[in-house]
Amino acid sequence: MSEAAHGVEIEIFTCPCFPTIFGFHNMKTTSMLFLLHLSLGLWSVSLAATDSVYDSFLQCLSKNSQAADQISSLLYSPNNPSYKTVLQSYIRNSRFNTPTTPKPVIIVTPLHESHVQAAVICARNIGIQLKIRSGGHDFDGISYVSDVPFILLDMFNLRSIAVDIQTETAWVQAGATLGELYYRIWEKSKVHGFPASVCPTVGVGGHISGGGYGTMLRKYGLSVDNVLDAQIVDVNGRILDRKAMGEDLFWAIKGGGGASFGVILSYKIKLVPVPEVVTVFRIEKTIEENATDIVYRWQYVASKIDNDLFIRLLLQPITSKTKKGQKTIRATFMSHFLGDADRLMLVMNNGFPELGLKKSDCMEMSWIKSMLYWANFDNRTSAEVLLDRTPDSLYFLKRKSDYVQNPISKDGLELIWKKMLELGKTGFVFNPYGGKMSEIPEAATPFPHRAGNLFKIQYSVNWNEEGIEAEKNYIGQVRSLYSFMTPFVSKSPRGAYLNYRDVDIGITHNGENSYSEGKVYGVMYFKGNFDRLVKVKTLVDPTNFFRNEQSIPPFPSKRRNLTEGSRGGQLRESLFLMCLAGWLIIIMILY
């Protein structure tokens, strides 16, 4: 195909039915019937191609697994009646649970470690992308959505937890949830815990490998700061522990994202001591109740106050209770204190009297009850609810992140309030740093956002309305607020948190430019640790088998690109027909 007017030869991949598609409006009945027959024919071919991939994968898996008699029960193709249920069970963002969301060719739900090993080997053999899901709290769906054919390796069956109070350690498999982990620790000890997320349905594998934090980060650091060992399936299908994988790879999977380097099977974690009594409070202030001054003061206090105290700040636009028909900003201060109410009052009166905390605002409870409180359960709720892997509600949502290194002035805060009110719904979560976070060097783990950061920002918007217009509106809001915040947040690079995955800041296309593309988001997530992660990646997975839209790329290599292209070409050719047939059917429905 040539563009004579510009004197440029443009080479494209053509297919006999493309002219038919482009001339669709002028087609007569006979042409439409021809297209219908063609579509049905291609659809049959595409289903055959899918079946061929399934059969090849099944045969390979049976040959390479222990407990081979279980294989058929852990594979789901799109024509399996349970496929939809299995796929949707761990989708936590409704944006990626629509009819048009790209779906996996096969879902693999391993029951045994050898099934994971075989899945890696077989996906490599047939040249198809493998995506790994351990929980589904993946804000941009990277672990279970792809624009190329892929197999989903869902780890939810691998969720054993072995707690050893004598050594104050636990081995926990990647498919376990944090709620299950907290419950199993509580079963053995009322004075041990683990510093991780306040959301109990988060999967352990993704949470820890991306950094992981919770209300005890100022006392004990991140989840990855309390990891002692790990098991991973590498690109060759081998199971490696810390000694076998070496310190470089062990370093990389403690905050660099495990799915870039292999399949995390389990982590050995260090339990941390917690007192028999902890204290929480929740205080709300609006602009009319002096919220601006209190938020301004919080910036100076929250990262420097007693390390046993964590005060999260939620900021959101609401309808004013005092000014009818008007909106205002509400600031909610939520605390978690490793101690009783009397000591908390001393700490607050000395360090943050501006909040006006009263002892009657404080609630004393056990550590496990505090995890229920932070997960929005009633204090009378049994701890067994932590074993429920299903979240209470699902939303359409979008998240972004930033780091603040210098306090925002009162004038700046007032400008931010104005912008939030103008946008309508997007809010903030401010998470204070300091304490242990300032003591750990940037290079100790891939997670670099340590000393010098006052707090981390999460931009947050949820909505229930379906449809493209609602999505454009709310995602547009959060992006607008993110852009507005540029003068107030970290720079050179502007920081971001890996576990708040955000494809807005860049993606890689797994081609010859994957390193340069990866560096765009890589330095935001990892700062100076990015190239060290790339070096590890190049050593352990030079062909970039373990990849996603924001994975760590290897250093460029012509040999790698050629090898990868020859392996995946045949599959892409066969599955191209499936994509084409799908488009043809969609066009026919639309017209």
Side-chain angles (χ1 to χ4, degrees), residues 254-266:
K254 293 192 303 173
S260 291
F261 305 96
V263 182
I264 303 295
L265 292 176
S266 58

Side-chain angles (χ1 to χ4, degrees), residues 375-377 388 390-394:
N376 295 318
F377 289 107
D388 186 351
T390 306
D392 289 337
S393 55
L394 296 174

Side-chain angles (χ1 to χ4, degrees), residues 178-250:
L178 292 174
E180 290 171 330
L181 174 60
Y182 297 156
Y183 184 85
R184 299 307 174 196
I185 295 171
W186 174 77
E187 274 188 319
K188 297 288 186 71
S189 169
K190 306 304 184 264
V191 290
H192 286 85
F194 184 68
S197 173
V198 297
C199 185
T201 57
V202 168
V204 165
H207 182 70
I208 294 181
S209 71
Y213 80 97
T215 58
M216 297 194 291
L217 87 166
R218 303 191 62 253
K219 179 75 170 184
Y220 297 116
L222 303 176
S223 301
V224 290
D225 299 326
N226 297 275
V227 169
L228 303 172
D229 203 341
Q231 286 189 314
I232 185 173
V233 174
D234 75 355
V235 71
N236 298 308
R238 301 173 299 177
I239 295 179
L240 308 175
D241 61 8
R242 178 175 181 173
K243 182 178 180 180
M245 74 177 79
E247 289 302 305
D248 285 337
L249 180 53
F250 182 63

Side-chain angles (χ1 to χ4, degrees), residues 235 260-261 536-546 554 560:
V235 71
S260 291
F261 305 96
V536 175
K537 171 72 171 183
T538 306
L539 289 172
V540 303
D541 183 21
T543 63
N544 203 23
F545 171 73
F546 291 111
R560 185 188 73 245

